[in-house]
Every structure is written in C-alpha cells, then in structure tokens.
C-alpha cells in the first residue's frame, strides 16, 4: 500500500506540473477561446477514452454504448443545474449521473455480458440507442430533440483537468489491484480464468460499470462546458469517435489512450482550416493508420513511474521491471 | 384492425429492403468476420448512381419510364459491385491478418470517407429521386398496395432467390461456403480465397445498390447520409436472424420491417427504433446466435 502511495504521489506531482504549465499558458494569454475549447475537449476525450479502454482494452469486452452513458451524465447535470444553478447543483448533477449510469450499467451489464464479441457490441449499441431515443421522447424532462441550452458553465479547463487526473488514477490503480488482475485474466482467456476460480461475470460487470460511471462524469463535464445538451450529440457516432481514440492509441494502453486523445485533438484543430475537406482527411488518416499500424500508436506499452524508480534504485536486475505499475 | 393489416403489408415491403442489405452484411461477416460498416454507404452510392443515370436518360430523351429504371439499376448494381471490390482490395485486404477491431475501425473510416466524399462533391442536400415509374395504387378489399411496393417486393425476392441459387449451385458459391467454414482448409483445397472474398463483396454491394435505388423510388428522396440509419438497422437484422446465415438475414430483415411498421400502427412511432433494439437484445439474450443461428460450443 505504501509503495503504491509513492507511485500515486509521483503521478500527482507530474499532473501538478502539467497543471501549472497550463496555468502559466492561460495567464500568459497564450491560450484563446478556441484553444481553450480544444484543451477542454481533449480532457473530456481522455476521460472517455480511458474509461472505454478499461472495458475494451483491459476486460476485453467490446462495447459500443459509451455515448449512452455519457448522455446520462450530461442530461443529469443539465436538468439539475437548470433548476439549481449553483456549484452544489453541478456536483449533485455529476453524482446523480454517476449513480444512474452505474445502476443502468449494472442492470444491462449482468445479462448482456454473457454475450460474446460482436454480439455484445451490438447489444450495447442497442442500449445506447434506446437511451438516446428515450431522451428524445421524454420531452417533459429533457426538452426532447430541441435539447437544453443556456446552462451555467461550471466546468472549465481546471475542473476538467482535475477530473481527468482522477479518472486516470482510478483506472490505473484498478488495473493493478487484485480485481484488476482478475479482469486482465478474463481478457486473456475467459475459460482458463474461470477454471482457475475467477468469477468472470463479476469482474466483467465491475469493469463495465466503472467505465460507464466515468463516461457519465465526462458527459457531465461536456454538458456544463458546452452549456447545452442535444440528443444528437450522443449518438452512435460519438461512441465511434471514442472507440477510434482507443484503437488509435493502442487497445489496452492507458498511456496510448491519453496520447491518442491529445494527438487527435490537435489534428482536429489543424484540420479546421481545411473546411469541408476536414472529414475526408480525417477518414483517410484513420484508414491509413489502421492499415500501417493496426495495433495503434503505442500497442500495449505503458509509461510507468515504477520502472523509472526501479531503474534508479537498481536494487535488483531489470527482470521485475516488466511487472510494471 | 384494418390499419394493422395495412401496416403489416407495408412492413413486408420495407422489410424486403432491409433484407436485401442484411444479405450483404451477413455474407461479408460469414466469410471474413468483419462488420462492414461501409455497406450502408454503398447503398447510398448505389442510389446516387441510379439518380444520375435516370436523370441523364431523361435529358438525352432515351429509355423512358420503367426501362430506364431497370437499365439504371443494372448499371448501378455493376458499378457498386466494382466499388465494393475496390474498397475490399484497398482497405480490408491489407488487414486480413490483423485484429478484427482494427478491421472494424477501417470499415468505419471507409464509411466516413465515402459519406464525406459524396458531401464534398455533390453537396449534402436532399434530392428528389426521379419517379421513373408512375405510382399506381391498387386496392384489394380494404388493403391498398401501390405498384412500386409490388415492384420492391418482386425485385427483392427475385434477387434473394438468384443469390440463393448462386450460393448453392455455382462453383463460386461452393467456394464461398467453403471459405466461410474454414479459410485455411479451403486454400489447401485449391480455392482462391482472395477472389472468393472479392466476389462476396461484389455480390453484397450489388444487392445494396439495388436496395438503395428501390428505397429512392419508394421515398422519393436521397441524400449522402441516407445510408447510416438503414445500414445500422439492416446490420441489426442480420444479427437478429443469425449472422453469417443467408436465410437468417432475409428473415431478420422482414422481422425488422414488421416491428417498425407495427409499432407505428400501435401508436409508438416515436419509439420504433428503440423497440427494434429492444427486440434485438431480448433475442440475443434468449438465443445468443440469432434466430436461425447455431450455438457453437467453445473448445478449451
């Protein structure tokens, strides 16, 4: 435990350095409204990608329903801050979204996670579409297809950054905990894991629920940052966008998810200048990257503080460095 | 009650289009285990080719009415088949040996690409599809049917029968079935796997193009994003019937069409898509391999 604390503190220190770097950039006036939107978007995409990577990359369950859980968080926050425009209301919205997303993920996860591979993908896709259609049709609560706008903005880049750091810490600590190891064993070989006494359903559902809860947080932040929610923002394409980030970074690498979110965020920023050609270039980029580097940018490689520590302390040989942290 | 029967019949016609598209999904999935997300875009491009051809026939003053439509449909099917083969060759073939998720992302990339190329060159506007065949309504008792609906059902069913004959009776069909069972063994028996897969894409794409033109004629409007929703739904149809199984895809397509129109008849038209997905999830939970699917036990 104490050892983990050391690594986590190092991580927090790294995060603090990046935070103050950004802070200096903001105060120095380097960042305008446009770059601020890019940074906020990257932060939100990192939360989404890291949480989807937990489901796809670490537990090996192919989910296409991430946008649905994001929509739950977004709408919970939007509805609460519409009636109660205080910071407390915003916090309550996030918590309610997390709770709702968790409960729904649990309810749909237990039966659907029995399905395998593509069938699970289609079932989760169906669930997220059902959530979206319910949002469109429950217009008394959600204002239907017109969406809700004019919300107070509580999530700025600082809130997003803190939440992003927390999500990364939660996910990476989960992976290196006992349940996390069990989850990885389910990914490697479900039948073998089961025969070794691992309760596969339990760990699959745990990862799925945790991923869904984090997606809901990302949705809350997104709604509050955009100051509006529209049902069409949380369609099938949103799930695909997140999936592209995960695959682009390397399935099963948290570092990869972060790097890919940053790279794609900046790519999108530069592509803005191309106007209508933007989506064509983006699509071509996806195809070309997948053909030439199908394992993603980083594969399953992780940036690891522990390895660096080990390198400096050099107590033993490097063989235990591969059991990274 | 009369409304119900009318909607049941409408569902049959709509379902036959879904079935046509679902066949393409199911064949590709059956043979290389890829969810070909670009299939909906082939359907869209098929209807666009038909649109331009019929319009040119009209301006040149040749091939009026139904003849123009059928000739345009055959050309559109051929062109889409070629497009399907090209897409497979350029985008999917290099990924044959890599993970399925990478192939899936590529398919999504291709679908984005085709959509946006169409938007870039032909504007995102909705266009009226030329009504090459004049609409006539027949009423049999209290049920009314238009000649276009009958045409849709007729063409779809005959294409499905032709497909079934190709798959069951020809050498290529035999090769397709062999490759879908075991690619390596098929190769050892001297089957050219690459050519078989190309042929599968060509067949599926031709069917999708026919579906696109029929839907253009039926709804009288086409636009570059028209492939997304039907693409997704016909994939659902393929899964519902048991993916990889050709009669299953047809059954799933008709089922989806019927669920949609029945939910409209019962007054749930706002929830019809939700209902489609709910039925899908329930079926998957009861029969994880789809209605006609066989449950394959995993080997340890």
């Amino acid at each position: 435990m104490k050892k983990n604390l050391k690594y986590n503190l190092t991580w927090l220190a790294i995060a603090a350095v990046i935070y103050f770097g950004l802070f200096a950039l903001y105060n120095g006036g380097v960042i305008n409204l446009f770059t601020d939107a890019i940074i906020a978007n990257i932060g939100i995409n990192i939360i989404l990608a890291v949480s989807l990577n937990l489901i796809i990359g670490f537990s090996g369950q192919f989910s296409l329903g991430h946008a649905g859980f994001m929509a739950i968080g977004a709408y919970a926050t939007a509805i609460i801050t519409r009636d109660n425009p205080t910071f407390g209301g915003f916090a309550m919205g996030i918590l309610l979204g997390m709770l709702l997303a968790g409960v729904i993920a649990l309810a749909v996860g237990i039966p659907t996670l029995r399905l395998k591979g593509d069938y699970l993908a289609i079932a989760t896709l169906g669930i997220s579409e059902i959530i979206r259609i319910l949002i469109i049709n429950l217009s008394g609560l959600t204002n239907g297809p017109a969406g809700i706008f004019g919300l107070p903005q509580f999530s700025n880049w600082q809130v997003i950054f803190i939440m992003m750091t927390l999500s990364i810490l939660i996910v990476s600590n989960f992976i290196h905990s006992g349940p996390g190891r069990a989850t990885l064993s389910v990914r490697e070989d479900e039948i073998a894991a089961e025969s070794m006494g691992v309760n596969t359903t339990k760990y699959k559902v745990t990862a799925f629920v945790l991923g869904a809860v984090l997606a809901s947080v990302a949705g809350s932040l997104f709604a509050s940052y955009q100051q509006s929610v529209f049902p069409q923002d949380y369609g099938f394409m949103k799930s695909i966008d997140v999936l592209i980030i995960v695959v682009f970074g390397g399935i099963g690498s948290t570092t990869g998810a972060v790097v890919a979110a940053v790279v794609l965020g900046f790519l999108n920023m530069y592509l803005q200048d191309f106007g209508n050609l933007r989506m064509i270039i983006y699509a071509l980029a996806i195809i070309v990257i997948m053909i030439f580097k199908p394992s993603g940018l980083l594969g399953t490689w992780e940036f690891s503080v522990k390895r660096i520590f080990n390198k400096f302390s050099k107590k033993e040989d490097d063989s235990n460095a591969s059991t990274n942290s | 009650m009369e409304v119900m029967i009318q909607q049941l019949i409408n569902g049959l016609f709509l379902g036959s289009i879904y079935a046509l598209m679902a066949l393409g999904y199911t064949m590709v999935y059956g043979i290389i285990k890829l969810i070909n997300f670009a299939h909906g875009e082939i359907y869209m491009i098929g209807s666009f080719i038909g649109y331009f051809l019929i319009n040119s026939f009209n301006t040149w003053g040749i091939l009026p009415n139904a003849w123009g439509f059928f000739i345009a449909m055959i050309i559109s099917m051929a062109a889409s088949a070629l497009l399907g083969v090209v897409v497979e060759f350029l985008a999917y073939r290099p990924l044959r040996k890599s993970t399925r998720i990478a192939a899936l992302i590529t398919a999504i990339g291709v679908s984005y690409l085709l959509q946006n190329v169409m938007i870039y060159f032909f504007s995102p506007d909705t266009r009226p599809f030329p009504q090459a065949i004049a609409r006539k309504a027949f009423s049999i008792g209290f049920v009314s049917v238009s000649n276009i609906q009958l045409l849709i059902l007729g063409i779809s069913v005959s294409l499905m029968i032709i497909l079934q004959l190709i798959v069951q009776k020809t050498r290529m069909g035999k090769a397709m079935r062999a490759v879908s069972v075991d690619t390596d063994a098929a190769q050892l028996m001297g089957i050219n796997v690459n050519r078989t897969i190309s042929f599968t894409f060509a067949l599926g794409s031709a069917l999708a193009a026919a579906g696109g033109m029929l839907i253009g004629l039926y709804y009288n409007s086409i636009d570059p994003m028209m492939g997304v929703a039907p693409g997704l739904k016909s994939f659902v149809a393929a899964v519902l019937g048991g993916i990889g199984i050709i009669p299953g895809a047809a059954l799933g397509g008709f089922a989806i069409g019927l669920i949609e129109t029945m939910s409209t008849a019962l007054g749930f038209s706002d929830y019809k898509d939700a209902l489609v997905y709910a039925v899908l999830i329930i079926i998957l939970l009861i029969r994880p391999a789809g209605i006609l699917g066989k449950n394959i036990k995993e080997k340890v």
Side-chain angles (χ1 to χ4, degrees):
Chain A
M1 197 61 224
K2 218 175 134 197
K3 240 183 175 172
N4 265 338
L5 199 64
K6 186 171 87 178
Y7 302 130
N8 278 332
L9 286 178
T10 321
W11 272 113
L12 281 177
I14 294 173
V17 169
I18 299 173
Y19 177 85
F20 284 111
L22 278 174
F23 198 75
L25 284 179
Y26 270 88
N27 278 359
V30 184
I31 286 167
N32 55 22
L33 224 63
F34 176 62
T35 16
D36 177 59
I38 300 283
I39 290 175
N41 236 325
I42 289 177
I44 290 165
N45 278 340
I46 288 178
I47 303 180
L48 286 170
V50 166
S51 59
L52 185 64
N53 196 20
L54 175 66
I55 302 174
I56 293 187
F58 294 114
S59 75
Q61 305 304 310
F62 193 2
S63 164
L64 277 180
H66 229 49
F69 296 114
M70 198 184 164
I72 292 174
Y75 269 89
T77 306
I79 290 165
I80 290 186
T81 52
R82 178 180 58 183
D83 302 334
N84 178 13
T86 59
F87 209 81
F90 176 55
M92 223 162 78
I94 294 184
L95 287 178
L96 183 73
M98 286 167 77
L99 188 74
L100 264 178
V103 169
I104 293 176
L106 195 68
V108 300
I110 292 172
T112 48
L113 286 170
R114 291 188 310 138
L115 301 171
K116 292 220 166 61
D118 299 333
Y119 294 115
L120 176 67
I122 296 307
T124 46
L125 161 68
I127 288 157
S128 99
E129 284 293 294
I130 290 174
I131 292 173
R132 194 174 62 88
I133 292 161
L134 285 179
I135 286 174
I136 291 176
N137 287 305
L138 297 173
S139 44
L141 194 62
T142 60
N143 203 19
I148 306 172
F149 37 89
L151 301 168
Q153 190 183 44
F154 289 113
S155 80
N156 49 17
W157 73 272
Q158 289 162 310
V159 176
I160 293 172
F161 188 88
I162 293 166
M163 287 299 190
M164 178 195 90
T165 315
L166 280 177
S167 330
I168 297 175
L169 279 181
I170 289 171
V171 169
S172 45
N173 275 302
F174 173 76
I175 296 158
H176 296 115
S177 66
R181 294 285 178 207
T183 310
L184 288 179
S185 77
V186 173
R187 171 188 73 177
E188 293 305 329
D189 191 331
E190 207 173 320
I191 295 170
E194 202 166 6
S195 63
M196 297 306 283
V198 174
N199 184 346
T200 52
T201 313
K202 182 176 142 194
Y203 292 111
K204 282 195 279 187
V205 171
T206 312
F208 188 67
V209 170
L210 188 55
V213 167
L214 289 177
S216 148
V217 173
S220 297
L221 295 172
F222 183 68
S224 184
Y225 185 81
Q226 296 283 326
Q227 299 177 275
S228 57
V229 278
F230 302 105
Q232 70 263 30
D233 285 352
Y234 305 101
F236 172 59
M237 287 299 166
K238 187 76 201 174
S239 298
I240 295 297
D241 285 345
V242 184
L243 179 68
I244 286 172
I245 298 175
V246 171
V247 177
F248 183 67
I251 299 168
S253 164
T254 307
T255 322
V258 175
V259 171
V262 174
V263 169
L264 287 180
F266 280 109
L267 184 70
N268 249 328
M269 182 171 88
Y270 287 111
L271 286 180
Q272 297 286 350
D273 303 338
F274 289 92
N276 287 331
L277 264 179
R278 187 179 78 96
M279 280 310 288
I280 297 182
I281 299 173
Y282 185 66
L284 274 177
I286 294 169
I287 299 170
V288 169
I289 290 166
M290 277 302 118
I291 288 176
F292 291 104
K293 193 112 179 55
S295 60
L297 283 180
L298 299 183
T300 52
W301 184 85
E302 289 280 11
F303 175 73
S304 151
V305 188
K306 190 174 185 176
R307 203 156 49 211
I308 295 171
F309 270 121
N310 285 352
K311 212 167 219 167
F312 282 113
S313 54
K314 277 275 179 202
K315 272 182 284 190
E316 292 162 69
D317 63 329
D318 278 354
S319 66
N320 67 345
S322 58
T323 59
N324 54 8
S325 172
Chain B
M1 193 59 215
E2 288 164 24
V3 180
M4 293 279 273
I5 292 175
Q6 178 66 49
Q7 291 293 355
L8 210 67
I9 289 173
N10 288 349
L12 206 64
F13 300 120
L14 189 63
S16 66
I17 305 266
Y18 285 138
L20 268 188
M21 282 187 74
L23 288 169
Y25 274 110
T26 223
M27 285 194 298
V28 167
Y29 189 91
I31 209 156
I32 53 173
K33 297 279 175 286
L34 166 74
I35 304 175
N36 182 14
F37 267 110
H39 199 64
E41 274 53 53
I42 304 260
Y43 156 92
M44 176 268 292
I45 286 177
S47 71
F48 265 81
I49 295 173
Y51 165 85
F52 287 119
L53 279 175
I54 296 178
N55 274 350
S56 337
F57 290 161
N58 285 345
T59 40
W60 297 335
I62 51 165
L63 297 168
N65 308 329
W67 276 109
F69 180 80
F70 289 121
I71 303 276
M73 189 159 102
I74 289 165
I75 299 175
S76 159
M77 282 169 77
S80 303
L82 191 69
L83 179 69
V85 171
V86 169
V87 163
E88 192 272 334
F89 182 77
L90 292 179
Y92 304 150
R93 191 167 293 182
L95 284 161
R96 203 69 63 65
K97 293 277 180 285
S98 56
T99 54
R100 285 172 52 195
I101 203 162
L104 180 74
I105 298 286
T106 313
I108 293 165
V110 172
S111 129
Y112 276 4
L113 182 70
L114 293 178
Q115 263 166 30
N116 287 292
V117 164
M118 291 304 278
I119 289 177
Y120 190 73
F121 289 106
F122 301 107
S123 87
D125 305 336
T126 305
R127 295 151 187 264
F129 195 84
Q131 295 297 292
I133 299 170
R135 194 178 291 254
K136 272 195 245 74
F138 309 108
S139 53
I140 308 155
F142 51 82
V143 178
S144 85
V145 183
S146 75
N147 58 340
I148 292 181
Q149 285 180 321
L150 290 175
L151 182 78
I152 289 174
L153 193 68
I155 292 181
S156 312
V157 171
S158 27
L159 285 176
M160 283 179 223
I161 293 170
I162 292 172
L163 177 76
Q164 193 65 14
L165 286 177
I166 291 175
V167 172
Q168 298 297 337
K169 301 285 181 207
T170 62
R171 279 174 65 85
M172 208 41 158
K174 211 175 197 176
M176 279 168 66
R177 283 179 286 144
V179 172
S180 79
V181 172
D182 191 331
T183 315
D184 294 330
Q187 202 152 20
L188 288 175
M189 299 313 285
I191 291 170
N192 186 338
V193 172
N194 280 336
R195 207 173 63 196
T196 313
I197 292 173
S198 294
F199 183 74
T200 310
F201 269 84
L203 270 184
S205 305
L207 293 180
M213 281 195 65
L214 292 172
I215 232 28
L217 194 66
Y218 188 47
Y219 285 133
N220 190 19
S221 75
I222 56 172
D223 67 276
M225 298 301 281
M226 69 186 273
V228 180
L232 218 52
K233 260 186 234 156
S234 39
F235 178 65
V236 166
V239 176
L240 191 67
I243 196 153
I245 302 159
I246 289 176
L251 184 69
F254 284 116
I256 297 278
L258 288 177
I259 295 168
E260 251 183 46
T261 47
M262 285 318 279
S263 51
T264 312
L266 293 171
F268 296 110
S269 59
D270 293 340
Y271 292 96
K272 67 174 190 213
D273 292 358
L275 217 64
V276 167
Y277 288 111
V279 169
L280 170 80
I281 292 168
I282 293 166
I283 298 257
L284 284 182
L285 290 176
I286 303 167
R287 287 189 64 87
I291 298 173
L292 297 185
K294 283 189 280 292
N295 242 332
I296 301 159
K297 282 269 173 253
E298 226 170 309
K299 274 180 252 168
V300 183

